[in-house]
Amino acid sequence: MSGVRVGPLAPEDLPRAAEIQATAPEAWSLSALEEELASPCGRLFGLWREGRLEGSAVFQLILDEASLLSLTLEPDCRGLGLGRRLLEESLALLKAQGAARCYLEVRSQNEPALSLYRRLGFEETGRRRGFYQSPPDDALLMELPLPG
């Protein structure tokens, strides 16, 4: 896809990232994004299409373990392969920073996300029953090794 790039978010990108986040059920606020970006463990990445920020991914990297906390695209960008691009390139950047594996949790009813994660090789490792409240749902725990 020409005109698409993925890279780290800067502080000036966070208001737009918060707008994108607001379209998700478990949205991150601007202050939460700012706090995560300021954290030594926080890793925030964006996907720009034709120069406009259209997606964001929030990770934490602790030692060699990355955790995906949020992956959100503008609604009109969903289903175009951009989520996969954002996740793949973010994982490559994390791997370059020393990540050996990535963990995530996802709603058990979120079929588009589950399909993406499974296509990339994430495997289910557990379930947290009743984890999500609005609407009620279980969380599936997933893991992906990032081999050397």
Side-chain angles (χ1 to χ4, degrees):
M1 279 177 248
S2 64
V4 175
R5 79 172 176 86
V6 172
L9 290 176
E12 59 270 18
D13 299 318
L14 297 185
R16 174 72 180 128
E19 290 175 11
I20 295 165
Q21 282 286 324
T23 68
E26 284 83 35
W28 283 56
S29 66
L30 176 57
S31 62
L33 291 169
E34 290 170 337
E35 187 176 317
E36 196 61 42
L37 186 63
S39 165
C41 299
R43 302 293 187 277
L44 283 68
F45 302 103
L47 178 137
W48 288 263
R49 186 170 66 157
E50 304 299 330
R52 178 173 166 79
L53 184 63
E54 300 283 7
S56 66
V58 179
F59 291 85
Q60 285 186 342
L61 179 61
I62 301 173
L63 301 175
D64 65 348
E65 295 182 348
S67 296
L68 175 59
L69 306 178
S70 174
L71 179 73
T72 308
L73 293 172
E74 270 293 332
D76 65 344
C77 293
R78 296 173 189 164
L80 303 176
L82 297 172
R84 180 181 183 124
R85 173 96 178 254
L86 175 56
L87 185 52
E88 284 178 330
E89 292 193 30
S90 296
L91 290 171
L93 291 166
L94 288 162
K95 186 175 169 182
Q97 295 176 31
R101 59 188 54 261
C102 183
Y103 300 94
L104 62 84
E105 59 191 36
V106 60
R107 287 177 171 274
S108 68
Q109 302 299 313
N110 188 341
E111 286 302 325
L114 284 168
S115 176
L116 169 63
Y117 299 145
R118 288 181 177 135
R119 279 194 318 268
L120 291 179
F122 280 87
E123 293 186 5
E124 187 177 333
T125 58
R127 178 182 289 258
R128 292 186 176 134
R129 298 205 182 278
F131 182 79
Y132 295 105
Q133 302 305 312
S134 184
D137 198 358
D138 294 347
L140 298 182
L141 309 176
M142 302 184 85
E143 178 181 342
L144 175 69
L146 302 172

